[in-house]
Amino acid sequence: MVFFNVGKADAAFVKPPGSPGLMIDAGMRTPYFDAASSILIPYFERLGIYALDGILISHPQTDHMGGVLSLIQRAAPRRLWWNPVAARSSLLEEILIESHCSAVQILPADRTRPPVRIGNAILRFLNPPGGEIRNGQFFGNLNNASVVCRLEYGSISFLFTGDIEHEAEEELLASGMPLRASVLKVAHHGCKSSTSASFLEAVRPRIAVISCDDYPGRPCPDAEVRRRLRAVGADILWTGRDGAVTMQTDGERLTARIGRGKRHILVEGTG
């Protein structure tokens, strides 16, 4: 598992045994920068990866789906998962058209779907369907339509939360979905609108990864969010401060190392 340093954006890659790999979000795209072309595709080429099991878009905002178009064109994914919502943009339309043209299977990602096998790992979608979110009282913005998924390999698990905010966290808590995880990808880049104390009590991560840049006067990651993470015993890894975060696991023990410095974390399986 690699959490890339892509600024205030999300991009994570996981390669379980028996799979060419899954990309969860793909960083930012602007007229001057494409995280996929600049960071992700060179990484894949260096490792000799020229195809993917799939790409998962947590929600259709540019800091999460920005690099997806380039990845579809260069990394030949078999499947594209997202939680269909009414919100549309020109980039999203380009991604969907390119997926159709490239014979990429476009699939909804929500809790009504059965778990997906990614090599020897299991991917479970925990969020409600997009249509249900649009009509639900807790739907306040597109962030709350994020795909929330749990990747399980042996007794090690990873929880990806997109940009969900407190309303969506409360819905997940009430749903009874399995939230406990060894590693939490912290929602919304560590902003104060997410990562409530009650949500963290359910997840109880050993490692929390914040995907966000680091600059003076930044609003994220919020100091109170970091305090809450430390209160549940989580080691915080922050891409803007620590660089890319790389994790390896055999399903029982997990090790994490950072791109800057010598920090090394060992975690025993927590389910």
Side-chain angles (χ1 to χ4, degrees), residues 182-245:
S182 315
V183 177
L184 171 66
K185 197 293 296 181
V186 176
H188 205 192
H189 319 290
C191 290
K192 63 182 179 180
S193 58
S194 309
T195 319
S196 66
S198 56
F199 187 73
L200 286 177
E201 281 297 325
V203 181
R204 299 203 65 84
R206 297 292 305 280
I207 298 176
V209 180
I210 300 174
S211 187
C212 188
D213 47 17
D214 183 10
Y215 59 88
R218 62 187 177 273
C220 301
D222 182 69
E224 177 60 22
V225 168
R226 284 180 277 162
R227 187 199 66 77
R228 289 198 292 265
L229 287 165
R230 289 191 293 268
V232 295
D235 278 301
I236 299 172
L237 300 178
W238 169 10
T239 58
R241 179 193 66 192
D242 299 324
V245 176

Side-chain angles (χ1 to χ4, degrees), residues 102-177:
S102 302
V104 178
Q105 190 176 13
I106 302 173
L107 299 167
D110 63 67
R111 68 175 63 136
T112 68
R113 305 291 164 177
V116 177
R117 183 167 288 277
I118 306 293
N120 293 345
I122 299 294
L123 182 67
R124 301 181 191 274
F125 302 119
L126 309 184
N127 55 285
E132 181 179 331
I133 291 175
R134 288 198 301 274
N135 297 325
Q137 293 182 351
F138 75 95
F139 181 78
N141 54 52
L142 190 56
N143 290 336
N144 282 330
S146 294
V147 174
V148 177
C149 60
R150 188 174 190 262
L151 186 73
E152 305 162 2
Y153 182 64
S155 61
I156 299 293
S157 54
F158 302 82
L159 186 67
F160 290 86
T161 54
D163 275 359
I164 62 169
E165 299 184 3
H166 294 317
E167 298 90 346
E169 291 175 354
E170 289 301 313
E171 195 280 338
L172 284 167
L173 290 170
S175 73
M177 291 288 104

Side-chain angles (χ1 to χ4, degrees), residues 13 19-26 36 41 44 49-57 67-81 94-107 118:
F13 173 68
S19 168
L22 169 70
M23 196 74 212
I24 302 177
D25 286 329
I41 291 169
F44 292 153
I49 297 171
Y50 299 101
L52 294 172
D53 242 342
I55 299 171
L56 190 155
I57 298 173
V68 170
L69 184 62
S70 296
L71 279 182
I72 292 171
Q73 294 167 344
R74 297 280 295 278
R78 291 173 50 216
R79 296 170 284 189
L80 176 74
W81 286 282
E94 284 187 82
I95 289 169
L96 296 177
I97 291 169
E98 183 66 30
S99 297
H100 283 296
C101 293
S102 302
V104 178
Q105 190 176 13
I106 302 173
L107 299 167
I118 306 293

